[in-house]
Amino acid sequence: MPTISMFYGILVLMYFRDNQRHSLPHIHARYQGQEVVIAIQDGEVLEGNLPPRQLRMVQVWIDIHREDLMLNWDLAVSGEPPFRIAPLS
């Protein structure tokens, strides 16, 4: 489960071959013991939760990096390591 970014205590992860349970392209984000799965295309929460402020930060980050996230999704689904993406600053 490679960490592709980290900002404000939030870890953003993308798992290898993670297209079985949620067929939509998505990321996982962790913050203080909570985890959420968020669709890349529209920022919709697919599973889990984060505090509202942290969730919004991740959704903004997704909006900024959607193209890179989709490239990473293709890599991860095929079993290749995704690349790091700049944090929200």
Side-chain angles (χ1 to χ4, degrees):
M1 73 181 115
T3 300
I4 59 172
S5 195
M6 185 173 21
F7 48 91
Y8 303 107
I10 302 166
L11 293 176
V12 181
L13 307 121
M14 191 171 282
Y15 300 153
F16 292 110
R17 303 187 197 285
D18 189 24
N19 58 343
Q20 299 299 318
R21 186 169 181 187
H22 306 287
S23 58
L24 297 172
H26 62 275
I27 56 101
H28 295 252
R30 291 183 183 165
Y31 178 77
Q32 294 186 350
Q34 294 181 291
E35 185 169 347
V36 67
V37 179
I38 305 174
I40 294 169
Q41 287 301 100
D42 59 8
E44 177 185 345
V45 172
L46 302 175
E47 184 177 311
N49 58 53
L50 288 182
R53 182 171 182 248
Q54 283 71 24
L55 176 61
R56 186 67 193 129
M57 283 193 279
V58 174
Q59 289 169 323
V60 166
W61 181 82
I62 289 170
D63 285 342
I64 294 168
H65 297 288
R66 186 165 283 116
E67 186 175 317
D68 287 336
L69 287 166
M70 289 306 299
L71 292 172
N72 263 351
W73 176 257
D74 291 338
L75 289 171
V77 166
S78 67
E80 297 180 45
F83 53 88
R84 300 273 303 184
I85 298 176
L88 190 63
S89 54

